[in-house]
Amino acid sequence: MNISSYFSSELFKGKTVFITGGGSGINLGVAKNFATLGANIAICGRTQAKLDSAAGELRALGAKVCVAVADVREMAALEAALAQTKAELGSIDVLVCGAAGNFLVPAEQLSANGFKTVIDIDLMGSFNASRAAFSQLKETRGSIIFISAGQAYMPYAYQVHVAAAKAGIDMMMKNLALEWGRYGIRCNSIVPGPIEGTEGMKRLSSPDALAQLTAGIPLGRMGTVDEIGQVAVFLASPLASYVSGTVLVTDGGQNLAGSALFNMGAEKMMNAAAAAAKNNTGSAR
Ligand code: COA
């Protein structure tokens, strides 16, 4: 589906969308949907080559693009990226906090630094970006979209770090919606379900468990990055002008069946990793 069949291709003309972690995956899909509707796009991330490749795809859709290497854990780098965006593209109207990190690990094996790393990227990174963008969003009466996850409200095995980070993001989102509404700034979260072809799915589920996982989703399939992009476009658009403080779950109904099916995939992934490690140790002897 091309989003411009449903929304005006000028919906975001003259507006700039700044996306953390915008170089790949769901975040790049979000960027492309905004670009298709006339937005200028700024993306930040840790890897220049990944950002350059994404920028090429966005320019091909007609967007003016600003690229900044910035780790969301570093406030000064984010502030510089936002200042560069304002200088190059004129304003910041929508902030998408999408940068995230994840890996499967049993809680009893997770180090304090491992836990902190995901809190720093996901939760602190989302606060840092929101805080750094505040004055510009206040000027434009803009909006913020957080990319959350089902781990925020439902326990998923081997992801205690992510659960804490994403639950924090959704509560922070509500606090910011409460405090910044007076400036016309709307804040909302999207909870993507299993999205095909993403780094997240590669990291979190064994391929042979995906068929079962998919069968457990009421809509009977995984989602696409475009389906998350479309929801982001809606939330940032005037159609959602009275929507703030909302968590918009976009998962084909996956959460209705609980996380058990997802956990089966994670279990298989962990078992395969443990078997591979054992084989390596064996062959090294
Ligand atoms: N299992 C257990 N602990 C792990 C781990 C794993 N698979 N991967 C990293 N860690 C721990 C490390 O051991 C380290 O802790 P320690 O100092 O106590 O040993 C800590 O996490 C930081 O690891 P490091 O590799 O230095 O972090 P980083 O900042 O370079 O990378 C990650 C961040 C770990 C989140 C990395 O996976 C990443 O860059 N991910 C980005 C992409 C991504 O996850 N996308 C999917 C989003 S859904």
Side-chain angles (χ1 to χ4, degrees):
M1 183 193 104
N2 187 329
I3 196 163
S4 58
S5 312
Y6 296 89
F7 289 113
S8 158
S9 56
E10 301 205 334
L11 185 60
F12 291 99
K13 195 171 174 203
K15 308 270 188 203
T16 297
V17 182
F18 185 104
I19 304 172
T20 68
S24 62
I26 288 176
N27 301 325
L28 177 56
V30 168
K32 284 181 177 173
N33 277 272
F34 279 108
T36 303
L37 300 181
N40 301 324
I41 307 288
I43 49 176
C44 79
R46 286 181 292 171
T47 318
Q48 182 82 56
K50 213 170 170 186
L51 294 171
D52 287 343
S53 155
E57 292 184 49
L58 294 164
R59 287 190 183 109
L61 293 169
K64 280 194 223 160
V65 181
C66 171
V67 163
V69 173
D71 187 323
V72 291
R73 291 171 281 191
E74 290 161 23
M75 192 65 174
L78 271 175
E79 284 170 344
L82 285 155
Q84 180 191 338
T85 302
K86 174 128 198 218
E88 288 181 21
L89 302 177
S91 66
I92 287 157
D93 302 273
V94 180
L95 169 68
V96 179
C97 296
N102 199 351
F103 48 82
L104 293 172
V105 62
E108 69 274 19
Q109 289 169 25
L110 177 61
S111 71
N113 191 42
F115 187 90
K116 180 178 180 300
T117 297
V118 171
I119 296 288
D120 282 350
I121 298 172
D122 294 29
L123 178 55
M124 285 303 303
S126 296
F127 176 76
N128 291 345
S130 304
R131 180 67 188 84
F134 169 72
S135 59
Q136 295 196 46
L137 291 170
K138 186 176 164 195
E139 266 176 46
T140 57
R141 299 177 74 79
S143 87
I144 308 178
I145 295 167
F146 297 91
I147 306 298
S148 180
Q151 287 88 333
Y153 52 80
M154 179 165 61
Y156 280 70
Y158 315 124
Q159 293 180 75
V160 63
H161 42 326
V162 177
K166 296 296 191 180
I169 286 176
D170 284 350
M171 201 57 208
M172 177 177 73
M173 176 279 290
K174 290 179 188 181
N175 273 266
L176 295 180
L178 178 72
E179 289 194 37
W180 292 354
R182 78 188 75 161
Y183 306 116
I185 300 174
R186 296 183 299 106
C187 303
N188 294 289
S189 291
I190 299 174
V191 169
I195 302 299
E196 63 191 18
T198 56
E199 175 71 18
M201 284 313 295
K202 247 187 272 162
R203 282 172 180 254
L204 302 182
S205 188
S206 135
D208 65 342
L210 284 182
Q212 252 173 319
L213 171 64
T214 304
I217 299 171
L219 288 184
R221 63 175 177 85
M222 300 224 281
T224 66
V225 291
D226 278 338
E227 286 174 317
I228 304 304
Q230 290 153 23
V231 169
V233 158
F234 162 70
L235 284 175
S237 79
L239 290 174
S241 54
Y242 205 48
V243 180
S244 196
T246 287
V247 177
L248 212 168
V249 179
T250 309
D251 70 350
Q254 186 234 335
N255 72 90
L256 304 172
S259 66
L261 284 163
F262 206 103
N263 293 344
M264 263 177 354
E267 191 81 48
K268 284 195 176 184
M269 189 100 164
M270 298 296 281
N271 289 342
K278 204 169 163 193
N279 282 343
N280 284 345
T281 316
S283 56
R285 276 197 196 119

